[in-house]
Amino acid sequence: MTHSTRLTELEIASRHYMASYVLFNQAVADHVGMHPTDVQCLNLITAEPEPVTTGAIAEMTGLTSGSATRLVDRLVKAGYVERVRDTDDRRKVLVRVVPEALAGYGAMWARLGAGWRELLEENTPEEKQVLLRHMRRTVELSRRQIEQLREA
Amino acid sequence: MTHSTRLTELEIASRHYMASYVLFNQAVADHVGMHPTDVQCLNLITAEPEPVTTGAIAEMTGLTSGSATRLVDRLVKAGYVERVRDTDDRRKVLVRVVPEALAGYGAMWARLGAGWRELLEENTPEEKQVLLRHMRRTVELSRRQIEQLREA
DNA sequence: TAGATTATCTGCATGACGCAGTCATCCTAT
DNA sequence: ATAGGATGACTGCGTCATGCAGATAATCTA
């Protein structure tokens, strides 16, 4: 990934791949009239089995706690989530997705997701394993490198 | 990718995968004191064999032409690129990467890129083909869906 | 050669974000 | 039991990236 040396096909593809996600995320956000960060956040918390705290959202999105609060404000205002105080630790605020509110959002994903799912289904189970492994490894590597960057 | 149905492992991994890229990009940006968009842009234009126009940058990043101008302003100010008027069409501005300016930037990537490259090298040639194909397909699908979203 | 089109650049307004401080709640050590 | 500290979430304020609309210069076309 130095710039003096030639980049491999795969490295170049990676860049465009990542860039395309940013564009896609932006397009989705524009379409539903939200900020890309908000879409990103919704995607992350709907992937979680349980409601998450504001702090967890801050960590997942890389925002400060203050900005995460504002992010949740926007999602609440838009009706996508609601705040629920944690009964165990009353300092915490659980952000719960409102399933009904995701109807329109879900309808969009039903259209888009179909194409996406097809794309995945074009792969054999073995190939899917390769992709899954690569994604997980990447997430892990990314996490380590972020730590490294913050230290230095 | 609807939210009423269960998400597959691969779909969940995809989301975290994409999210991790955003975080990583942000961390890199913080590290070099730039905006994420600027890093994104540098990654894209250094992946191109030839200097690109401001308009091309606008398209690649999804920004308006005005914002792209400002983006280039920042990169110029930071010394990463320089503006060169296109001699064929003097309306156009070619944005050329300044190789020397990427020394520090490149040094960082040399460290980070090593881990990244290793990750890719952990795959057999066949597996790399699977990844490459998937990335290209995704970019293509993404492009089509963005178009679809803009129409609707 | 005039008018339309294209590529880039600017003035202005909006809004997301970080920072630093505040408040409420929980934990811990004496 | 209680004081001091830690933790989680929230606010005031300033900064800055971005979109929008219009300006300017260069090119194309009838």
Side-chain angles (χ1 to χ4, degrees):
Chain A
M1 202 93 65
T2 47
H3 299 81
S4 45
T5 59
R6 273 261 300 300
L7 298 168
T8 67
E9 262 189 328
L10 197 48
E11 284 168 335
I12 290 180
S14 293
R15 294 194 186 185
H16 289 134
Y17 181 52
M18 294 306 190
S20 78
Y21 169 67
V22 176
L23 292 177
F24 178 66
N25 211 42
Q26 178 75 56
V28 170
D30 289 345
H31 192 253
V32 295
M34 298 171 70
H35 194 269
T37 309
D38 302 16
V39 174
Q40 166 94 344
C41 177
L42 264 189
N43 285 340
L44 285 172
I45 64 182
T46 53
E48 296 295 324
E50 298 293 327
V52 295
T53 66
T54 302
I57 289 179
E59 187 153 356
M60 287 192 298
T61 56
L63 297 174
T64 60
S65 78
S67 300
T69 294
R70 301 243 159 80
L71 165 53
V72 174
D73 284 346
R74 292 195 298 273
L75 292 179
V76 169
K77 192 174 175 188
Y80 289 115
V81 301
E82 56 190 10
R83 281 190 236 248
V84 184
R85 280 231 104 85
D86 188 328
T87 49
D88 290 343
D89 184 342
R90 304 208 8 270
R91 289 170 304 180
K92 294 183 181 176
V93 168
L94 295 174
V95 177
R96 206 179 68 78
V97 175
V98 179
E100 313 86 57
L102 290 176
Y105 192 75
M108 179 194 61
W109 280 114
R111 278 194 303 134
L112 298 179
W116 177 243
R117 194 168 286 138
E118 266 173 42
L119 190 88
L120 292 178
E121 289 310 321
E122 279 171 19
N123 293 286
T124 66
E126 292 75 29
E127 289 169 344
K128 279 195 254 187
Q129 279 307 310
V130 171
L131 295 176
L132 183 59
R133 195 189 57 195
H134 178 256
M135 287 180 188
R136 287 180 172 163
R137 279 179 178 169
T138 304
V139 171
E140 191 44 42
L141 174 64
S142 187
R143 207 188 50 67
R144 286 200 308 274
Q145 292 197 330
I146 287 171
E147 215 166 316
Q148 207 178 90
L149 280 172
R150 287 211 228 274
E151 285 167 8
Chain B
M1 201 100 59
T2 48
H3 299 80
S4 44
T5 59
R6 272 259 301 301
L7 297 169
T8 67
E9 263 189 326
L10 197 48
E11 284 167 335
I12 290 180
S14 292
R15 293 195 188 185
H16 290 135
Y17 180 53
M18 294 307 190
S20 79
Y21 169 68
V22 176
L23 293 177
F24 178 66
N25 211 43
Q26 178 73 56
V28 169
D30 290 345
H31 192 253
V32 296
M34 298 171 70
H35 195 270
T37 309
D38 302 17
V39 173
Q40 166 95 344
C41 177
L42 263 190
N43 285 339
L44 285 171
I45 63 182
T46 53
E48 295 295 324
E50 297 294 326
V52 295
T53 66
T54 302
I57 288 178
E59 187 153 356
M60 287 192 298
T61 56
L63 297 174
T64 60
S65 74
S67 301
T69 294
R70 301 243 156 79
L71 165 54
V72 174
D73 284 346
R74 292 196 298 273
L75 292 179
V76 167
K77 192 175 175 189
Y80 288 115
V81 302
E82 56 189 11
R83 280 190 236 248
V84 184
R85 280 231 103 86
D86 188 328
T87 48
D88 290 345
D89 184 342
R90 305 208 10 269
R91 289 171 305 180
K92 293 184 182 175
V93 169
L94 295 173
V95 178
R96 205 179 68 80
V97 175
V98 179
E100 313 87 57
L102 290 176
Y105 192 75
M108 179 194 61
W109 280 113
R111 277 194 303 135
L112 298 179
W116 178 243
R117 195 168 286 137
E118 266 173 42
L119 191 87
L120 293 177
E121 289 310 321
E122 279 171 18
N123 294 286
T124 65
E126 291 75 28
E127 289 169 344
K128 280 195 254 185
Q129 278 308 309
V130 171
L131 295 176
L132 183 59
R133 194 189 57 195
H134 177 256
M135 288 180 188
R136 286 180 173 164
R137 280 178 176 170
T138 303
V139 170
E140 191 44 40
L141 174 64
S142 187
R143 206 187 50 68
R144 285 201 308 274
Q145 292 198 330
I146 288 171
E147 214 167 316
Q148 208 177 89
L149 281 172
R150 288 212 228 274
E151 285 167 9

